[in-house]
Amino acid sequence: MGGLRGTHSPPACGGQWLGLLLSAAILGSCPTPALAQTQIIVTPDLPPAPVVGGTVTLTPQPPPPPNATLCGWLRQSRTIFWHLLDQEQPSTGSSYTGREVLGPGCSLIIVGLMLNYSGSYTLQVQGPGVFIFRGVNLRVYGKLARPTVMSRRTTVPENGILELFGERPPSTRTLLWYRDGTVLRLDGHVEMSPGNLSLLLARVRRDDAGNYTCEVRNPISTARSEPVTVTVTYGPDAAFMNPSGLLSLRLGDKVTLRCAADSVPAPQFSWSHSGSDLIPAPAGAVLSLVLTSAEQAGVYECHVTNPSTGQNATASVSITLRLGQGPVQSQPGQTGGLQGGAITRAVDAGIIIGSLAGTGLLIFVLYYVLCTQGKRDPRLEKDPVAQQGAPCPAGVQEQPPLQPVRGQQSSPGAPPTPPTRCCSPEPRTCTRS
Ligand SMILES: *[C@@H]1O[C@H](CO)[C@@H](O)[C@H](O)[C@H]1NC(C)=O
Ligand SMILES: *[C@@H]1O[C@H](CO)[C@@H](O)[C@H](O)[C@H]1NC(C)=O
Ligand SMILES: *[C@@H]1O[C@H](CO)[C@@H](O)[C@H](O)[C@H]1NC(C)=O
Ligand SMILES: *[C@@H]1O[C@H](CO)[C@@H](O)[C@H](O)[C@H]1NC(C)=O
Ligand SMILES: *[C@@H]1O[C@H](CO)[C@@H](O)[C@H](O)[C@H]1NC(C)=O
């Protein structure tokens, strides 16, 4: 074996003690004198690590004494070689696979490594007054396959249990867990099984939601799983109304009530007025009102529920009617407590309830100013086409339907705004210009 010529350990590397120098690639390298004097076993985990397809040399260091008569190697206590040193050729044992070579100085060379060559190897040297029996653990590393993360469920209620199961492909040395790219450490909250194969959060918190990955590493490669998105359901703990408290409005004033609540999944909204549900039920987070009669005063409540957690909360605003000038003269900012933008120049009459269009119940109750107060347009009565979608008659301005506020507090999936058409059967309002 010409390739082994260089592996012979020269006497300069020798010493009184016998250890094992396991060198993966640096054939025939000499340890430092300090190392030669000690009984340290250099493991193959020091770089370069033995890799699949590569070669490893296990070199006794210092070499066997000159009076040794037998040298041999075992793998998991089964013989690979034994060599009576006064004979030419070593004998092979039951664990010999054809990839092993006995080199100079009783070194063992294994070529074409496979993962199953990992394990314990034992050197035996015997002679008069000599008996050496030394084991070393060999670990062969391959390129790691991408692990997968499994979980029974990834939507977990707050304070519930989250358990994720990782995977250790062959020759994995370290397994780490990440949430949103940050490695998780063992603390009171995060627990891991031995070897980190499973991750356990016994009382899940809201901030435990995120993307979980597991990463496997060995000295020659790293592989990370696809993320698993964990959702933590919670809330609502409270609901908030804007504006809130007490609102003093005049007839004709228009006000938009916005309701919000923090919950996962997004809460469902319902509204009531003075204890009774509003009909038709507005399903969104926004309620628009135009005050046209004293009966509309009272307490408006928004109820938020999360069917996933069973929790609910309520927010309210109390609207009182105050006497004052007519609506046409009312100016933004004059009405107590409201921001200028919350009140628009009022429509002549009517209550407008804006709801999420997703319910298909976007319904406006409209007092037909145009048609009922002596300003009838004859066309509207005679011409069905005009009724379906004519432009607004002179003096009447088209007003877009009320839009729900989109955001985390509104229900998802609202369809696009219906077209704005004057006098169509679709919900719409007209204002006088
Ligand atoms: C490893 O497995 C291969 C077959 O896949 C076999 O030929 C070889 O002998 C095995 N080596 C050891 C050390 O068990
Ligand atoms: C053989 O060598 C060992 C170590 O060098 C020594 O302890 C032992 O006494 C030697 N035996 C003989 C018979 O010389
Ligand atoms: C297990 O995870 C901990 C914390 O991230 C890490 O320090 C440790 O090295 C890991 N152990 C194994 C065997 O992967
Ligand atoms: C989690 O992953 C999804 C897609 O896989 C991504 O949309 C989302 O933003 C990620 N979340 C975080 C907190 O990184
Ligand atoms: C609201 O929650 C309470 C318990 O906190 C429960 O008794 C009640 O039934 C819930 N109401 C609705 C409408 O879910």
Side-chain angles (χ1 to χ4, degrees), residues 23 40 45 67 70 76 78 88 112 114 121 157 234 240 244 265 273 278 292 314 327 359 375-376 388:
S23 71
I40 291 173
D45 288 354
N67 61 6
L70 179 140
Q76 332 275 31
R78 286 168 59 222
E88 275 286 307
M114 293 186 278
Y121 288 77
Y234 65 86
F240 305 94
S244 63
H273 170 223
L278 286 180
T292 55
T314 298
T359 64
K375 298 211 173 197
R376 255 172 218 183
Q388 288 304 310

Side-chain angles (χ1 to χ4, degrees), residues 217-240:
R217 295 180 180 177
N218 70 16
I220 65 159
S221 69
T222 295
R224 200 184 274 203
S225 72
E226 290 284 355
V228 166
T229 301
V230 170
T231 304
V232 178
T233 58
Y234 65 86
D237 298 328
F240 305 94

Side-chain angles (χ1 to χ4, degrees), residues 76-95:
Q76 332 275 31
S77 31
R78 286 168 59 222
T79 304
I80 306 169
F81 287 120
W82 53 277
H83 190 195
L84 292 168
L85 294 171
D86 57 357
Q87 292 183 359
E88 275 286 307
Q89 290 296 319
S91 307
T92 56
S94 61
S95 195

Side-chain angles (χ1 to χ4, degrees), residues 7 62 67-68 70 109 127 157 197 199 214 219 243 260 277 327 333 384 409 429:
T7 66
N67 61 6
L70 179 140
I109 300 146
L197 207 53
L199 176 76
C214 97
D277 286 346
Q409 73 270 33
T429 58

Side-chain angles (χ1 to χ4, degrees), residues 218-432:
N218 70 16
I220 65 159
S221 69
T222 295
R224 200 184 274 203
S225 72
E226 290 284 355
V228 166
T229 301
V230 170
T231 304
V232 178
T233 58
Y234 65 86
D237 298 328
F240 305 94
M241 183 97 83
N242 183 25
S244 63
L246 200 64
L247 277 186
S248 182
L249 301 180
R250 277 179 285 220
L251 276 182
D253 280 347
K254 182 183 168 191
V255 63
T256 299
L257 306 177
R258 293 171 203 279
C259 189
D262 182 20
S263 92
V264 172
Q268 296 173 356
F269 296 87
S270 66
W271 295 81
S272 66
H273 170 223
S274 300
S276 311
D277 286 346
L278 286 180
I279 296 174
V286 178
L287 180 72
S288 291
L289 295 172
V290 177
L291 236 59
T292 55
S293 76
E295 284 144 40
Q296 286 174 272
V299 175
Y300 285 81
E301 282 185 321
C302 139
H303 311 281
V304 290
T305 54
N306 181 346
S308 210
T309 61
Q311 283 177 250
N312 62 70
T314 298
S316 67
V317 62
S318 183
I319 295 181
T320 57
L321 209 58
R322 67 166 155 141
L323 300 174
Q325 291 172 308
V328 176
Q329 281 75 38
S330 78
Q331 294 299 315
Q334 282 188 344
T335 22
L338 287 177
Q339 278 105 27
I343 297 182
T344 60
R345 222 172 141 88
V347 294
D348 287 54
I351 168 172
I352 299 167
I353 300 165
S355 73
L356 271 193
T359 64
L361 287 173
L362 187 66
I363 291 177
F364 299 159
V365 178
L366 185 67
Y367 282 56
Y368 284 86
V369 174
L370 183 67
C371 305
T372 61
Q373 296 188 352
K375 298 211 173 197
R376 255 172 218 183
D377 186 335
R379 280 184 305 155
L380 294 179
E381 290 179 340
K382 290 174 186 164
D383 183 0
V385 175
Q387 286 181 10
Q388 288 304 310
C392 290
V396 176
Q397 203 177 38
E398 211 168 60
Q399 176 172 311
L402 291 161
Q403 276 292 82
V405 170
R406 296 302 317 272
Q408 81 176 90
Q409 73 270 33
S410 10
S411 314
T417 314
T420 308
R421 288 207 157 169
C422 187
C423 299
S424 76
E426 290 297 315
R428 82 277 182 260
T429 58
C430 292
T431 58
R432 276 200 225 196

Side-chain angles (χ1 to χ4, degrees), residues 96-256:
Y96 176 77
T97 67
R99 293 168 190 259
E100 302 86 352
V101 177
L102 197 58
C106 203
S107 59
L108 176 67
I109 300 146
I110 309 173
V111 300
L113 283 169
M114 293 186 278
L115 288 179
N116 62 347
Y117 283 76
S118 299
S120 73
Y121 288 77
T122 308
L123 168 74
Q124 268 188 44
V125 176
Q126 289 178 31
V130 181
F131 185 82
I132 296 157
F133 197 83
R134 177 142 301 144
V136 68
N137 202 40
L138 176 70
R139 294 191 71 167
V140 179
Y141 295 104
K143 192 170 183 301
L144 291 168
R146 170 173 264 204
T148 55
V149 172
M150 283 157 295
S151 171
R152 289 194 193 93
R153 52 176 191 164
T154 53
T155 298
V156 188
E158 189 175 21
N159 295 322
I161 296 176
L162 171 67
E163 197 167 14
L164 298 175
F165 301 92
E167 197 187 355
R168 294 178 74 96
S171 85
T172 295
R173 194 150 91 178
T174 311
L175 190 156
L176 299 173
W177 288 94
Y178 292 80
R179 175 175 55 231
D180 297 333
T182 304
V183 72
L184 293 174
R185 305 263 166 226
L186 289 163
D187 52 32
H189 183 58
V190 174
E191 298 168 59
M192 292 175 204
S193 67
N196 298 354
L197 207 53
S198 71
L199 176 76
L200 177 75
L201 306 183
R203 279 177 66 84
V204 168
R205 303 188 299 229
R206 295 178 187 190
D207 61 3
D208 291 325
N211 292 331
Y212 286 76
T213 49
C214 97
E215 184 182 87
V216 289
R217 295 180 180 177
N218 70 16
I220 65 159
S221 69
T222 295
R224 200 184 274 203
S225 72
E226 290 284 355
V228 166
T229 301
V230 170
T231 304
V232 178
T233 58
Y234 65 86
D237 298 328
F240 305 94
M241 183 97 83
N242 183 25
S244 63
L246 200 64
L247 277 186
S248 182
L249 301 180
R250 277 179 285 220
L251 276 182
D253 280 347
K254 182 183 168 191
V255 63
T256 299

